[in-house]
Amino acid sequence: MKITDRLSVMIFTCCVILLSVFIPMTSMITNNDFYAERLADTELYPERGEYSEVYNIGGGSNKCAKLSQEQFDIIIEHITSYLSYMKEDFSLTLDNVLLNGKITNDVSIFGEDAVTHMADVRPLFRQCDILEKVCIVLAVLCLAYMIIRREHIQKTIFSSALAPVLLLVGAATLFVVITAILHQFSDRSDYFGTLWEYMHMIFFPFSPDKVNGSLFNDALTSILSLDFFLGVVTELVLYLVIITSLWLIVAFFISKKAKQKTLQN
């Protein structure tokens, strides 16, 4: 039963890792306040009565709009509603938009590339939501098994829990190093831009058209910029590190206590 015992701990640890990312992420993408806070961090979300500039309105490189806080709130609500499957079309038009210095009605905020890209992105969040529920079920089952087999698992629980964590750290390190090497041969001047570009290959495996379709200039990428996503990724990594570390600490002390008990006997 040793293999099954170790496997149960490893699967539980993988579930902890995934859930530490999926649970906060699924909460973030449908939270209007979260978008407003992150946009404020990037100095794009305006104070009440003020305006912030958004470029590439409707996908046009020559279209720049000054949007109010109320208009940003409408855009944020539109994004969260679309990702929550409350709207079927990502297209959005606004009235009273200060576009290129003139008040204009019926302005298409997002271009065709943005609409197509979001149609590709939305199913990813649905898949994450499904995977989150699967992980919860697996975690509960593994935890129940671990409790039943606790006398046999305690001594090796830390080493079994550490294995998938080290595998994740190794894979992440390898990805960062390979991206750094490839960055030297890319057209991008910023490393994080290259890193974000290659991450899309993970988001859309075996779909080069979707990867290429994620690279465009639009009001969407002006609002949800690289700085915006780096802030989101940083927060998710923080959740991942804290929750995984707590589980490893618990596993370490369980293993240590079991070994001390064996020595005493």
Side-chain angles (χ1 to χ4, degrees), residues 112-256:
E112 291 183 6
D113 289 337
V115 172
T116 301
H117 179 61
M118 289 300 286
D120 293 333
V121 167
R122 186 167 66 164
L124 294 179
F125 293 116
R126 175 61 65 84
Q127 292 166 14
C128 287
D129 185 55
I130 295 172
L131 188 55
E132 177 185 321
K133 291 179 174 60
V134 172
C135 285
I136 291 174
V137 173
L138 282 176
V140 171
L141 292 175
C142 288
L143 183 60
Y145 178 87
M146 289 159 58
I147 292 173
I148 295 172
R149 295 278 299 172
R150 59 187 178 276
E151 296 297 330
H152 306 274
I153 289 176
Q154 287 177 348
K155 292 181 183 179
T156 59
I157 189 172
F158 177 68
S159 59
S160 298
L162 187 61
V165 175
L166 292 178
L167 183 62
L168 173 64
V169 172
T173 302
L174 183 62
F175 178 74
V176 169
V177 170
I178 291 176
T179 302
I181 295 172
L182 294 176
H183 172 64
Q184 304 301 318
F185 305 98
S186 70
D187 296 330
R188 284 185 172 272
S189 59
D190 58 315
Y191 168 75
F192 287 109
T194 304
L195 186 66
W196 185 244
E197 179 181 341
Y198 287 130
M199 282 181 67
H200 280 77
M201 296 180 183
I202 299 175
F203 300 150
F204 303 108
F206 312 111
S207 301
D209 55 328
K210 293 184 179 181
V211 174
N212 295 330
S214 64
L215 306 175
F216 56 89
N217 293 319
D218 190 87
L220 180 65
T221 54
S222 181
I223 296 171
L224 305 184
S225 62
L226 179 60
D227 289 339
F228 175 92
F229 282 109
L230 286 177
V232 174
V233 171
T234 299
E235 190 166 337
L236 290 176
V237 169
L238 190 60
Y239 278 114
L240 173 64
V241 170
I242 292 174
I243 295 173
T244 304
S245 297
L246 287 174
W247 162 235
L248 287 178
I249 290 171
V250 170
F252 173 78
F253 281 108
I254 291 174
S255 182
K256 183 178 179 180

